[in-house]
Amino acid sequence: MTGGLPLRPELAGQHPYGAPQLDVPVRLNVNENPYGPSPELARRIADDVAAAAVDLNRYPDREATALREALADYLGHGLVSARVWAANGSNEVMLQILQAFGGPGRTAVSFAPTYSMYPEYARDTATRWVVGRRDDDFAIDVDEAAAVIEREQPSVVFLASPNNPTGTALDLDTVKTVCAAAPGVVVVDEAYAEFRRGGTPSALSLLDDYPNLAVTRTMSKAFAFAGGRLGYLAASVEFVDALRIVRLPYHLSTLTQVVARAALAHADELLARVDDLRIERDLTVEWLRRRGLNVAESDANFALFGVFADRSAIWQGLLDRGVLIRETGPEGWLRVSIGTPDEMAAFRQALEDVLREGGG
């Protein structure tokens, strides 16, 4: 019992997930896209919402049919709407996956360091959580992965590519090996896929070969749609149908569907900034390395760097100078999201000052 309430034992003493939301001049801690919608797109969204508002007395399309068709068109790879699913952020997609394929007596596996929410999804669905380890360069050793899968017999395997918080992308051979070894489903989390460097493949190309494979994406990052809360998944029809069983009724509001479709209709405009962020990322990685710091290879819109004896001191020193980054990942490492050129210049200056003064 907690405060007289019959809280589940595994939730006792736990705290809600959340990165700091602080009012500072430069916020580079949660991998947001710093470039918001254009005035033209904002007007399109406002007009579409106004048109939909007259029917808000009715429930939304439970199947989000038009939105799933638009997402399938965007992804390509011969996908159709029946093989695409959408929910309130990729967080809800992941939770639905574990509701459908995890649960008591079942196991989910991933390879650390990786996204910090995965074990929370497992906890919330009473799914046993097991982590293997990544190599020193944050890649996944396929023999080690196969051994963990053989030993644990997981119902769900999570592979983030590009990985958060390291930015590491997986080669397709690794994904194939895991799919072949896994007795259950394999989820490749491609939340940052649009930021990959040229030639880095997507697991979408493997969907027809592995019916136990699903690829998740989000509109929060490349589409600058974090406030819209839209994540989605591509998989087999059977996989999608399993998620339809566990979803809550009318889980995607009419307004979410309308705004997401407007954003997809302006994909070219929104994704035009991705190249700018890739360039700024690569410049940031080069700059950090010139300062003698270790930086993980990144195919995402952030960079993981270190190693500091006291990373908290570095984080606080930057915050004192108005720059908020993320204290996450392996001990001694920090993660900076890629912002505008002005924001990154502020980050570089602040970090120079902290390092010069001996912080960390």
Side-chain angles (χ1 to χ4, degrees):
M1 301 281 285
T2 299
L5 300 176
L7 187 68
R8 286 165 47 193
E10 63 270 29
L11 300 181
Q14 298 294 309
H15 300 282
Y17 170 86
Q21 290 185 305
L22 305 176
D23 186 14
V24 296
V26 181
R27 292 185 295 179
L28 303 172
N29 69 323
V30 289
N31 304 337
E32 294 164 325
N33 190 322
Y35 300 106
S38 68
E40 292 76 19
L41 176 52
R43 283 193 292 270
R44 161 73 183 271
I45 289 172
D47 290 343
D48 289 357
V49 167
V54 298
D55 289 323
L56 287 181
N57 59 308
R58 303 297 184 185
Y59 284 113
D61 175 7
R62 185 173 52 236
E63 301 296 334
T65 306
L67 173 59
R68 289 163 66 194
E69 289 174 353
L71 288 167
D73 289 343
Y74 168 68
L75 289 176
H77 292 273
L79 291 166
V80 295
S81 60
R83 296 183 62 186
V84 175
W85 186 242
N88 290 284
S90 56
N91 303 101
E92 187 178 36
V93 174
M94 298 291 185
L95 190 64
Q96 290 172 340
I97 290 169
L98 284 175
Q99 287 175 316
F101 300 106
R106 295 191 170 196
T107 297
V109 158
S110 193
F111 300 89
T114 193
Y115 185 37
S116 61
M117 277 299 296
Y118 293 155
E120 298 200 21
Y121 304 143
R123 178 201 67 197
D124 294 347
T125 56
T127 305
R128 176 173 171 260
W129 177 249
V130 174
V131 287
R133 303 302 305 177
R134 288 175 175 256
D135 291 338
D136 289 343
D137 63 355
F138 305 124
I140 292 177
D141 181 278
V142 291
D143 293 332
E144 169 67 13
V148 171
I149 290 168
E150 174 63 26
R151 182 178 70 246
E152 303 296 341
Q153 292 294 293
S155 298
V156 182
V157 178
F158 289 111
L159 301 175
S161 180
N163 184 46
N164 181 10
T166 66
T168 315
L170 298 176
D171 60 78
L172 292 187
D173 286 341
T174 298
V175 179
K176 291 177 183 178
T177 298
V178 171
C179 287
V185 300
V186 177
V187 181
V188 178
D189 180 356
E190 293 191 346
Y192 301 93
E194 287 89 352
F195 297 100
R196 293 167 299 160
R197 290 169 290 182
T200 305
S202 167
L204 289 170
S205 63
L206 302 179
L207 286 174
D208 289 340
D209 298 325
Y210 297 95
N212 62 331
L213 173 65
V215 178
T216 61
R217 294 278 186 98
T218 180
M219 293 183 69
S220 294
K221 314 303 181 183
F223 274 87
F225 200 66
R229 307 309 301 133
L230 199 292
Y232 55 104
L233 166 150
S236 66
V237 173
E238 293 77 13
F239 197 115
V240 170
D241 283 347
L243 303 189
R244 293 172 62 230
I245 293 171
V246 301
R247 62 99 190 274
L248 294 173
Y250 312 108
H251 71 293
L252 273 180
S253 77
T254 295
L255 300 185
T256 298
Q257 295 182 44
V258 164
V259 175
R261 287 171 59 197
L264 286 164
H266 287 252
D268 289 345
E269 171 196 326
L270 291 168
L271 296 178
R273 286 294 197 175
V274 167
D275 283 340
D276 296 334
L277 292 169
R278 283 199 198 102
I279 291 169
E280 199 63 42
R281 172 199 64 206
D282 293 342
L283 291 172
T284 299
V285 169
E286 292 172 8
W287 183 86
L288 289 167
R289 286 176 175 163
R290 287 199 304 271
R291 295 303 177 277
L293 296 168
N294 294 331
V295 189
E297 295 290 346
S298 179
D299 279 279
N301 67 332
F302 55 80
L304 186 75
F305 66 99
V307 178
F308 302 105
D310 185 355
R311 69 175 177 181
S312 295
I314 298 291
W315 181 88
Q316 186 63 55
L318 292 172
L319 182 61
D320 292 343
R321 291 161 176 80
V323 178
L324 177 62
I325 66 170
R326 190 73 180 271
E327 188 175 355
T328 189
E331 188 62 34
W333 295 75
L334 294 165
R335 191 192 69 197
V336 60
S337 307
I338 303 304
T340 66
D342 286 347
E343 288 172 332
M344 299 317 293
F347 161 73
R348 292 192 296 270
Q349 184 61 60
L351 184 57
E352 286 270 29
D353 293 345
V354 172
L355 295 177
R356 185 169 54 248
E357 294 174 9

